[in-house]
Amino acid sequence: MPCGWALLSWYRDWLRKIERAEQRRTAPVPKPDKSPRPVGRHRPDEKTPPVATARAPVRQPAAAVPAGEALVAPPPLLRYASEVPFALHLPEALAETLTAAHDSNGCQDLGAFRLRYEWTHLGLLQGFDELLCLPTLHGVDTYWYQIEAVRKVLKQFRGRVLLADEVGLGKTIEAGMVLKEYLLRGMVERVLILTPATLVGQWQEEMTTKFDVPFATSYDALLRQDPPAFWAQPRVIASLATARRPDHHAILVQQPYDLVIVDEAQHLKNRTTVNWKLVDALQKRFLLLLSATPVQNSLVELYNLLTLLKPGIFKTEKAFRASYMMSGKPRLPANRDRLRDLMRDVMIRNTRALVDIHLPLRHATTLRLEPTAEEAACYQELSRLVQEAHHRGSTQQRLALHHLLSAAGSTTATAAAALRRYIDANHVDAAWHTLHARYAALPQTGKEQALSTLLQRNPDEKKIVFVHHPRHAGAAGPLAGPGRHALCPV
């Protein structure tokens, strides 16, 4: 029942008042009887004693009670357990109506003020057990574990938590539901979302289409024209790389935010970086950190994230190491039970095995491709030159040579560009220049041809291609032709 505890208290108070009034109204006044009452006896041969029949008390007018006789208290009313269903439906425009009435009459209309006060009170009584955001979502299939996660964020974690669900379980949806719930309840106005640069557009699209929450982004022209005006907007999605720039950093730390959301929060694992210092310096009430891999190399990374969520939870990093880390094994906890109890207070993590969600099957296939004759010849020549240069090169040059081999396995454009940079940075013989010319003259490689064929199949289906080299993404785009596909560097 909405507003359950408050209405129950009101209901009980009125029941007590009704009971007391009913007792006063029906309480009988005993009539004094001075004659002794005969005691009924029965003979032994009678099977059953006589039964006295009780008559209903007759209400008598109030009379003086003789001295020495005490009033007989009436029996209490019977109490029955009852459940009264109650639903409260208020018009959506009631708040505006009450506000307009109060503003027009000033402080003279006490009745309008009381109605407005009660309206606000009822709005605050709604508990977090019933999420207001669910009917407002568009095109979102919510799962039970997502709803439970949002409830925990609102009730248990009070808006400061690390969402660490496995990849594909909907951390973005959970963060959007928390944001929408806070907005509907009037608890949040200014929101900042920080993401990697490649995810800014995706976040803006999902917040707009699924949650009806428009955002300005760091791609807007206003950021370059007037940075203070851009950051003063109530809802902003920006890349971490943009926000951490010194000129923007100085403006951001002066802005008060109700809610800050950081996607791919593993970029905050090092507290000496500009990313961590920026998020730590922001003025924020609520903080959501999203990461499927909060710990990668050391448990100290976990310490840095927890310090953002709950400043002062540990005295020092040294104290955290002594309590939770094993010497010489930075990824192994010294006390798993204590660490698990600690994480329950700051982190929500759902796994596929735990939620038992049957996601669409994924079919993995490995394609083995044969290079063209000229492509194979160029790669063999490159391998020979790399081996010769590797013996007499420095450590930095060896890393560059390793990159050359990786680029040669990508596309011809990627290989030619990598060779050009290496030639310009080092003194090389004519064989390197000849090899660069051969790569620049190569047509499509076998890998490019196979990618083009795959992208042209089923043009109505959505496709996403992850590439290692950014130049590969630029070269593969024209190969796909028209279609619904996206190329993302990793």
Side-chain angles (χ1 to χ4, degrees):
M1 182 175 67
C3 314
W5 63 268
L7 291 177
L8 183 61
S9 176
W10 170 84
Y11 178 69
R12 287 175 175 172
D13 290 342
W14 274 105
L15 278 182
R16 295 191 189 99
K17 293 179 181 178
I18 294 173
E19 289 177 355
R20 288 194 295 267
E22 187 66 15
Q23 289 176 1
R24 289 192 297 268
R25 188 178 68 83
T26 61
V29 179
K31 184 177 180 180
D33 189 3
K34 298 182 179 180
S35 61
R37 178 178 300 177
V39 180
R41 295 182 180 179
H42 62 278
R43 296 187 302 274
D45 58 342
E46 290 180 348
K47 296 183 179 179
T48 57
V51 179
T53 58
R55 291 180 300 173
V58 180
R59 185 177 179 182
Q60 301 291 341
V65 180
E69 294 191 10
L71 278 175
V72 179
L77 294 177
L78 296 178
R79 295 178 179 269
Y80 297 94
S82 61
E83 294 184 2
V84 180
F86 182 87
L88 182 64
H89 300 280
L90 298 176
E92 296 181 356
L94 179 58
E96 290 79 2
T97 303
L98 295 178
T99 303
H102 179 66
D103 294 340
S104 61
N105 298 326
C107 297
Q108 303 300 323
D109 192 347
L110 185 59
F113 173 79
R114 287 178 176 173
L115 285 175
R116 189 162 178 253
Y117 171 80
E118 293 296 334
W119 166 258
T120 305
H121 184 62
L122 287 174
L124 294 176
L125 285 178
Q126 186 73 39
F128 286 122
D129 290 330
E130 180 182 353
L131 297 182
L132 307 180
C133 67
L134 294 180
T136 67
L137 307 182
H138 304 290
V140 178
D141 295 329
T142 55
Y143 296 95
W144 67 266
Y145 68 90
Q146 293 175 328
I147 296 176
E148 288 302 316
V150 173
R151 286 174 177 162
K152 287 182 179 179
V153 172
L154 300 174
K155 296 176 61 177
Q156 178 179 345
F157 298 97
R158 301 184 182 276
R160 300 182 74 94
V161 67
L162 170 62
L163 296 176
D165 291 357
E166 283 186 353
V167 176
L169 293 185
K171 294 185 293 296
T172 304
I173 296 299
E174 293 172 358
M177 291 171 64
V178 173
L179 166 62
K180 186 69 174 182
E181 194 72 22
Y182 277 144
L183 289 173
L184 290 175
R185 295 175 183 273
M187 301 174 65
V188 160
E189 293 183 2
R190 293 180 53 81
V191 182
L192 174 65
I193 300 178
L194 298 175
T195 76
T198 56
L199 299 179
V200 170
Q202 177 182 332
W203 269 88
Q204 182 192 32
E205 179 183 2
E206 294 202 6
M207 292 298 105
T208 303
T209 60
K210 296 180 179 179
F211 300 96
D212 286 333
V213 183
F215 276 84
T217 72
S218 51
Y219 295 142
D220 297 350
L222 182 61
L223 177 63
R224 298 181 293 275
Q225 299 169 359
D226 190 352
F230 172 81
W231 294 114
Q233 297 178 98
R235 299 168 191 167
V236 175
I237 300 175
S239 66
L240 269 170
T242 300
R244 72 189 181 199
R245 287 170 45 184
D247 51 340
H248 298 314
H249 182 283
I251 301 174
L252 268 175
V253 296
Q254 301 298 324
Q255 302 289 332
Y257 288 104
D258 299 308
L259 173 62
V260 174
I261 302 174
V262 183
D263 195 12
E264 301 296 337
Q266 64 269 17
H267 295 298
L268 310 178
K269 61 185 179 181
N270 190 343
R271 64 199 310 262
T272 63
T273 60
V274 181
N275 289 341
W276 191 94
K277 293 179 180 179
L278 168 66
V279 176
D280 182 57
L282 291 175
Q283 303 179 35
K284 52 195 178 295
R285 291 175 55 206
F286 307 125
L287 176 62
L288 302 181
L289 303 181
L290 282 60
S291 176
T293 55
V295 178
Q296 295 177 328
N297 301 314
S298 172
L299 289 177
V300 175
E301 300 168 1
L302 188 61
Y303 162 80
N304 294 332
L305 294 177
L306 299 188
T307 303
L308 289 174
L309 293 170
K310 291 189 175 182
I313 187 174
F314 305 108
K315 294 182 179 179
T316 61
E317 180 181 328
K318 183 179 180 181
F320 175 82
R321 289 178 178 270
S323 301
Y324 298 100
M325 295 179 60
M326 296 180 64
S327 178
K329 297 180 180 180
R331 297 185 63 180
L332 296 179
N335 191 323
R336 292 182 180 273
D337 294 336
R338 287 185 60 190
L339 184 61
R340 189 179 295 110
D341 293 340
L342 173 68
M343 297 309 300
R344 288 196 185 102
D345 296 334
V346 291
M347 184 178 76
I348 298 176
R349 180 170 177 82
N350 292 309
T351 62
R352 287 184 173 85
L354 176 64
V355 302
D356 193 25
I357 296 298
H358 301 287
L359 299 175
L361 293 177
R362 298 182 180 182
H363 302 282
T365 304
T366 301
L367 300 180
R368 298 186 179 277
L369 307 173
E370 294 294 332
T372 63
E374 179 62 13
E375 182 184 356
C378 289
Y379 193 85
Q380 291 177 0
E381 177 66 11
L382 176 62
S383 300
R384 184 185 66 82
L385 294 176
V386 167
Q387 288 178 358
E388 293 178 356
H390 186 273
H391 293 297
R392 60 177 182 271
S394 63
T395 302
Q396 185 175 0
Q397 288 178 329
R398 290 175 179 175
L399 292 175
L401 293 171
H402 182 272
H403 176 71
L404 283 178
L405 293 175
S406 174
S410 179
T411 64
T412 55
T414 304
L419 278 170
R420 183 74 270 169
R421 291 193 300 270
Y422 181 80
I423 292 172
D424 294 340
N426 300 277
H427 298 286
V428 296
D429 54 26
W432 287 94
H433 293 275
T434 303
L435 182 61
H436 172 263
R438 292 175 63 183
Y439 265 111
L442 272 177
Q444 288 186 1
T445 62
K447 183 183 291 186
E448 291 174 291
Q449 294 173 0
L451 176 61
S452 177
T453 302
L454 288 174
L455 292 178
Q456 290 175 3
R457 293 179 184 173
N458 303 321
D460 294 334
E461 292 184 352
K462 294 182 179 180
K463 307 177 184 69
I464 182 170
V465 180
F466 294 95
V467 298
H468 182 67
H469 298 279
R471 285 185 175 272
H472 194 164
L479 299 177
R484 305 171 68 186
H485 62 273
L487 299 170
C488 301
V490 294

